Amino acid sequence: YLGTDNMLLWNNKNITDPIIEKINIKRNWLNQSIDVIVQERERYAVWCLESDCFWITDEGYILEKTPKSEWQLINTITSNQKTNLEPGDRILLTEEASYLKNVLTILGNLNLSILNINYDIETLELTVKISDGPKLLFSLRSNPALTVSALPEIIKNNFNSLEYIDFRTE
């Protein structure tokens, strides 16, 4: 009665593309049109293994493969993880991803020139190497905002003469 191409007969489809955060569909019955609004997940940082690099979200999900990034225009974390990863996989738990985001925000606000960021999957620790400065050691087991409050004062004093600064304990 309505025809095979009528909107009422369309089936619902589940889309499992990790890049898509949500899809909003608006049907206009009078104009016989459909508006589809797609919201993509934001690319937050690059997560690199020995051979592959991936865009990740700020929630710790892998989006897609990407070429390896040089320098630090884009936050690039190198991990010692050995397993194969696929888009849609989660590399960090919610709390760990939140703490990683805190670390990157704090370092970005201090305008430090980062050479590299290494992540140890077994200990959940970040090692951040600063250009002309010490290594900064962070743990993703606790919130770094509690311990990093002293960093601006350290930078003012004898920051470049230090070998490392350990923020792994609360």
Side-chain angles (χ1 to χ4, degrees), residues 117-170:
I117 303 173
N118 293 312
Y119 177 71
D120 187 339
I121 191 80
E122 294 167 6
T123 61
L124 303 179
E125 293 178 356
L126 283 177
T127 303
V128 181
K129 179 60 180 137
I130 304 296
S131 174
D132 296 329
K135 288 182 185 176
L136 305 177
L137 307 173
F138 296 95
S139 173
L140 297 188
R141 294 182 195 273
S142 61
N143 190 348
L146 303 173
T147 56
V148 170
S149 58
L151 189 56
E153 190 64 33
I154 295 171
I155 291 173
K156 290 179 187 175
N157 294 325
N158 56 352
F159 185 68
N160 295 340
S161 65
L162 299 174
E163 186 178 330
Y164 68 93
I165 304 174
D166 194 342
F167 297 106
R168 295 179 290 186
T169 57
E170 294 186 58

Side-chain angles (χ1 to χ4, degrees), residues 3 14 61 105 110 145:
N14 288 335
Y61 288 99
T105 301
L110 293 173

Side-chain angles (χ1 to χ4, degrees), residues 46-49 68 76-80 116-120:
V46 174
W47 190 271
C48 291
L49 305 175
K68 187 164 183 163
T76 303
I77 299 109
T78 305
S79 174
N80 64 349
N116 58 39
I117 303 173
N118 293 312
Y119 177 71
D120 187 339

Side-chain angles (χ1 to χ4, degrees), residues 43-155:
R43 292 163 178 85
Y44 181 70
V46 174
W47 190 271
C48 291
L49 305 175
E50 290 179 358
S51 59
D52 294 325
C53 290
F54 301 90
W55 280 109
I56 62 168
T57 67
D58 61 349
E59 299 167 338
Y61 288 99
I62 292 178
L63 294 178
E64 61 187 343
K65 279 190 173 185
T66 185
K68 187 164 183 163
S69 171
E70 292 295 328
W71 304 101
Q72 287 299 319
L73 294 175
I74 299 170
N75 289 322
T76 303
I77 299 109
T78 305
S79 174
N80 64 349
Q81 192 170 3
K82 302 291 184 201
T83 60
N84 291 331
L85 298 174
E86 296 292 327
D89 290 349
R90 186 166 202 156
I91 52 168
L92 295 172
L93 299 176
T94 304
E95 193 173 68
E96 295 164 6
S98 170
Y99 295 157
L100 173 66
K101 188 175 180 180
N102 287 348
V103 168
L104 296 178
T105 301
I106 290 165
L107 295 177
N109 290 341
L110 293 173
N111 293 322
L112 297 174
S113 178
I114 299 171
L115 292 177
N116 58 39
I117 303 173
N118 293 312
Y119 177 71
D120 187 339
I121 191 80
E122 294 167 6
T123 61
L124 303 179
E125 293 178 356
L126 283 177
T127 303
V128 181
K129 179 60 180 137
I130 304 296
S131 174
D132 296 329
K135 288 182 185 176
L136 305 177
L137 307 173
F138 296 95
S139 173
L140 297 188
R141 294 182 195 273
S142 61
N143 190 348
L146 303 173
T147 56
V148 170
S149 58
L151 189 56
E153 190 64 33
I154 295 171
I155 291 173

